[in-house]
Amino acid sequence: MNGLVDSLLVVILLLNLFTLGTSRIRAVIQVVALQGILLGAMPLMIHDPCHLQTLLMAVGTAGLKGWVIPNMLSRAMRDLSIQREVEPLISLTKSLLLGAIGTALALAFARHLPLVEGHAAGLLVPASLSTVLTGLLILTTRIKAITQVLGYLIFENGVFIFGLMLIEALPFFVEIGVLLDLLVGVFVMGIIINHINREFSSVSTERLSSLKE
Amino acid sequence: MALAILLLPLILAGVALLVPSNRARPWLLPVAGVGHLSLVGAALGRLPLGSPTGWLVLDPLGGLVLALISVLFFLCSLYAVGYLRHREDRSNRVFCACLLVFLAMMSLVTWAHHWGLMWVAMEATTLASAPLIYFNRTARSLEATWKYLLICSVGIALALLGSFFLAYSSLHEGLPSSLLMEDLLRNAPKLSTPWLRAAFVLLLVGYGTKMGLAPMHSWKPDAYGESPGVAGALFSGGMTSCALLMVLRIYHVCHAAGEADVARQMMVFMGLVSMAVAAAFLIRQRDLKRMLAYSSVEHMGILVLGVGIGGPALYGALLHMVNNGLAKGVLFLSAGNIHRAYGGKSLDEVSGALRRLPLSGALFLAGFLAITGSPPFGPFLSEFTIARAALGGGQFLAGGLFLALLFAVFVGMGATVLAATQGRPSEEALATSYRDGWLTGGPTLVMMAMVLMLGVHLPVFLRTLLLDAVRFLEARP
């Protein structure tokens, strides 16, 4: 089982690098959706799949992260006729390079953290840290509001991967609360993006610079 | 009891969405305020209150924050009625509903004793308060809302990772992994140290973002600058106190685990950095509300500095939380009145506020004197307690820097406040129709009286509550 989880985590790590290297927003949305579905599948492999709580969590995660939120973002893309390029602040090659360095550091760093017996071999911790770093990188180096939301989602995915080690500690209702907060958060952000688009006729946050010291 | 305190504002928020009249709707806010205040009063008489599962517990520390929020919300709700009467041009449906949900979620934060629930509630306060900043529907308020939403969401996501680390620190030692405060405090000495330290850093940075500690404060001047005064008052007095409560909760776990020294050093450092950054931006600040935002950054710094210094300063910090909440309320509400009367909030438009608005101008000036720690107001007492604890405890560097930065802030803020209140108002400002009214002036006056009272005579029940909270934090299992 653990082998399967690790190979899925490798896929997630590769997807992270792909999001950093691609210039098309649609591709990033699809990658985030795919990550969401993979994350939804993971609780079933780590824990008892027959348990109702695990099942609900898997369906909830895959449904929200893999379907509802990406759909909301694609619709925003279409309705607001957002240009399809991501407009990074630093070149895509550089962000890819930074992402690769981040992943390597995460792998090295995770080795030094004391882990519980069963987790030590797995890729859960480095994959989580690397995904968090990728999310932060996208948040800080992309201009458009919608790509910043995508960065936030990837960041949250990283936190979720760490949470997989703690399913027993986190009761079901907290998991649902976290997912619901995420959904409402993205929904509110979507509304604001809509207003930004109307106000500035673009969704680039570069125009949001009148409040500076 | 917990359910009643949470559900009352939530139900009224639902009612607010249904009420068709723009003029009648704001009166729901004082209704919620009175109900909330009386329920909280009843709950405080029976501390500690808890549910058998341990998820919702009102300990003295949470009770203190809850009492502050409740009083602040009640006074702000009266002001909001007067304020919204001046803004009848736009619908206040979403504004009223969000204020009520915001109150419910802040109350939930004070009751929550499970790190997951705390996280959900804190994130919900962010989401409920974002529309408050966007009330004016301008390009600038839009920018402020976006920054607030994104920066705070990322901060809170870091806090979630920190909460997971906290759970892992018990899992690692073979303890049942739990995020309940009671379990964590009981098992604290056995928690895995590296994970606990990492959790502390992430939670301090994460919830510190929500508090507005430098360098994660960048959302604050924009959000406070563009939102209505009443939202600013609730942010700077209520929401930031909730975030401080989260920092105190993780400090509590660290203290019980014998890791308090590491945590304290970090908090002293963060506190001084916040005060220094705030002081730098307060000098020559021309915008009144942005000035108040930087002052809020400074006072968040004072709070974590006080906790970091420890000993008697912990009591000082908790007292300062109350003082800061009320004094910031005075400043934001009177700044809101000045903004209405002048049609602007920068020194380019505002001058001679004492002549143009005798009540609000005087309250703004008095609020400034109070918040910068002049006697005989409350903040003087709490800042003095912190300084004495630092110098008396041999922390001369921290204590000296604290006093020097307080002085710099006084000079910086003083120049702006005096320029705004002294002198003659411009012709355009005299021509606007806005005057101080009962609803916009009264609550501010009451808050100011409370700030004065806290400096002259500390009421017995508050003193008991503060001492109980300190004892609760310092107790070892």
Side-chain angles (χ1 to χ4, degrees):
Chain A
M1 263 319 180
N2 255 341
L4 191 54
V5 174
D6 273 355
S7 30
L8 282 188
L9 288 170
V10 171
V11 174
I12 286 183
L13 284 176
L14 291 175
L15 289 178
N16 285 342
L17 293 178
F18 178 78
T19 55
L20 287 169
T22 185
S23 65
R24 284 172 47 243
I25 296 180
R26 247 174 225 295
V28 181
I29 295 182
Q30 279 156 4
V31 166
V32 169
L34 185 57
Q35 271 195 351
I37 291 168
L38 292 180
L39 289 184
M42 271 185 216
L44 298 178
M45 296 169 195
I46 297 177
H47 298 272
D48 179 14
C50 298
H51 205 267
L52 181 69
Q53 183 172 323
T54 322
L55 215 62
L56 277 176
M57 201 184 118
V59 173
T61 308
L64 278 181
K65 286 185 188 256
W67 193 67
V68 177
I69 293 177
N71 260 358
M72 254 158 64
L73 292 174
S74 314
R75 178 170 301 166
M77 285 275 294
R78 198 174 51 238
D79 292 352
L80 305 178
S81 47
I82 296 170
Q83 298 282 310
R84 52 200 188 88
E85 279 78 28
V86 290
E87 296 186 48
L89 281 174
I90 56 173
S91 77
L92 290 174
T93 332
K94 269 188 204 146
S95 42
L96 196 57
L97 195 66
L98 281 175
I101 294 173
T103 308
L105 284 179
L107 281 165
F109 182 63
R111 234 175 241 198
H112 294 281
L113 282 173
L115 287 175
V116 177
E117 201 61 16
H119 297 149
L123 277 173
L124 278 169
V125 179
S128 154
L129 293 178
S130 146
T131 312
V132 164
L133 286 175
T134 307
L136 271 183
L137 202 58
I138 291 186
L139 259 166
T140 46
T141 60
R142 303 293 193 260
I143 293 170
K144 278 184 182 159
I146 196 162
T147 32
Q148 291 182 337
V149 177
L150 286 164
Y152 171 64
L153 285 173
I154 294 174
F155 186 104
E156 280 276 356
N157 284 350
V159 178
F160 182 90
I161 296 174
F162 194 92
L164 284 174
M165 301 197 291
L166 300 161
I167 291 193
E168 293 88 1
L170 286 179
F172 179 58
F173 139 56
V174 168
E175 292 283 354
I176 291 302
V178 169
L179 283 175
L180 210 65
D181 268 348
L182 185 67
L183 179 71
V184 179
V186 172
F187 186 69
V188 176
M189 286 176 187
I191 295 174
I192 304 281
I193 288 181
N194 205 342
H195 282 282
I196 293 178
N197 197 47
R198 234 184 288 159
E199 189 77 40
F200 299 95
S201 11
S202 110
V203 285
S204 154
T205 53
E206 218 172 23
R207 301 275 182 86
L208 298 181
S209 56
S210 58
L211 295 175
K212 270 199 182 138
E213 220 51 72
Chain B
M1 188 59 100
L3 281 183
I5 289 179
L6 298 179
L7 285 180
L8 173 81
L10 283 180
I11 291 170
L12 286 172
V15 176
L17 288 176
L18 296 176
V19 170
S21 155
N22 215 24
R23 211 177 160 81
R25 196 181 300 118
W27 283 103
L28 285 170
L29 300 171
V31 170
V34 171
H36 193 262
L37 198 58
S38 38
L39 284 170
V40 169
L44 286 179
R46 292 190 273 152
L47 288 180
L49 276 170
S51 63
T53 49
W55 280 62
L56 291 172
V57 177
L58 193 67
D59 52 53
L61 188 61
L64 181 69
V65 179
L66 183 61
L68 172 65
I69 291 168
S70 194
V71 170
L72 202 62
F73 184 87
F74 170 64
L75 291 170
C76 285
S77 69
L78 292 174
Y79 175 93
V81 175
Y83 170 78
L84 290 171
R85 199 171 281 170
H86 287 283
R87 306 301 304 270
E88 285 202 323
D89 48 316
R90 60 186 75 241
S91 166
N92 54 37
R93 187 185 297 263
V94 175
F95 190 76
C96 289
C98 282
L99 270 177
L100 290 166
V101 177
F102 189 39
L103 173 68
M105 289 305 127
M106 286 196 292
S107 315
L108 180 59
V109 172
T110 62
W111 277 86
H113 255 219
H114 184 283
W115 282 94
L117 187 61
M118 290 181 211
W119 185 86
V120 169
M122 279 303 283
E123 173 68 7
T125 60
T126 312
L127 298 175
S129 54
L132 301 180
I133 303 173
Y134 190 43
F135 179 65
N136 284 320
R137 297 277 184 281
T138 57
R140 291 164 65 92
S141 66
L142 189 61
E143 176 181 348
T145 314
W146 180 253
K147 271 193 192 167
Y148 170 70
L149 204 54
L150 208 66
I151 295 176
C152 284
S153 296
V154 171
I156 300 239
L158 276 177
L160 182 63
L161 192 60
S163 308
F164 286 174
F165 277 29
L166 194 59
Y168 203 79
S169 73
S170 51
L171 188 68
H172 182 257
E173 300 302 312
L175 303 162
S177 62
S178 161
L179 280 170
L180 279 173
M181 273 305 274
E182 274 66 29
D183 293 343
L184 284 166
L185 290 173
R186 192 171 348 104
N187 297 328
K190 290 181 248 161
L191 295 178
S192 152
T193 317
W195 285 101
L196 180 61
R197 285 188 187 169
F200 177 79
V201 173
L202 284 174
L203 287 165
L204 179 65
V205 171
Y207 289 127
T209 308
K210 193 86 183 174
M211 268 177 90
L213 290 173
M216 300 87 70
H217 68 286
S218 54
W219 60 271
K220 214 166 190 176
D222 302 346
Y224 289 10
E226 300 311 315
S227 57
V230 59
L234 285 173
F235 281 166
S236 64
M239 187 180 77
T240 51
S241 304
C242 287
L244 174 72
L245 177 66
M246 298 294 97
V247 173
L248 286 171
R249 292 252 189 259
I250 182 64
Y251 170 75
H252 194 180
V253 176
C254 286
H255 182 80
E259 285 288 311
D261 288 342
V262 185
R264 280 205 193 122
Q265 275 170 11
M266 243 179 287
M267 287 165 99
V268 168
F269 178 74
M270 289 283 276
L272 288 172
V273 168
S274 299
M275 287 184 74
V277 168
F281 281 98
L282 274 169
I283 292 166
R284 290 175 192 277
Q285 181 59 249
R286 294 188 64 77
D287 184 308
L288 294 183
K289 282 189 180 165
R290 290 177 79 84
M291 175 191 81
L292 296 184
Y294 283 113
S295 164
S296 177
V297 173
E298 179 220 346
H299 285 272
M300 292 305 118
I302 295 179
L303 292 178
V304 291
L305 178 72
V307 180
I309 286 171
L314 182 60
Y315 173 85
L318 292 180
L319 178 60
H320 194 67
M321 178 184 78
V322 178
N323 283 328
N324 172 57
L326 293 170
K328 277 281 150 44
V330 173
L331 283 163
F332 271 103
L333 296 187
S334 49
N337 292 343
I338 292 172
H339 188 175
R340 282 291 104 222
Y342 286 83
K345 55 192 173 64
S346 128
L347 288 186
D348 300 332
E349 294 107 12
V350 182
S351 66
L354 276 172
R355 281 168 194 251
R356 173 69 184 79
L357 290 174
L359 180 62
S360 295
L363 283 172
F364 192 66
L365 192 59
F368 151 72
L369 288 174
I371 203 76
T372 47
S374 323
F377 299 106
F380 168 72
L381 208 64
S382 42
E383 284 172 7
F384 183 73
T385 312
I386 295 173
R388 201 178 54 182
L391 299 174
Q395 306 193 40
F396 296 109
L397 183 64
L401 282 172
F402 173 62
L403 291 176
L405 287 168
L406 279 183
F407 180 71
V409 166
F410 181 81
V411 174
M413 263 180 98
T416 311
V417 171
L418 289 181
T421 48
Q422 306 288 333
R424 291 191 168 278
S426 62
E427 292 296 320
E428 301 96 70
L430 287 169
T432 55
S433 64
Y434 185 87
R435 293 284 174 274
D436 275 326
W438 277 111
L439 281 169
T440 49
T444 327
L445 194 63
V446 173
M447 273 184 208
M448 194 67 233
M450 289 165 98
V451 176
L452 182 61
M453 185 190 67
L454 287 174
V456 180
H457 170 74
L458 204 58
V460 178
F461 74 92
L462 183 61
R463 198 181 156 73
T464 324
L465 194 55
L466 283 166
L467 288 173
D468 283 350
V470 170
R471 219 170 293 132
F472 172 73
L473 270 174
E474 306 256 277
R476 292 214 175 206

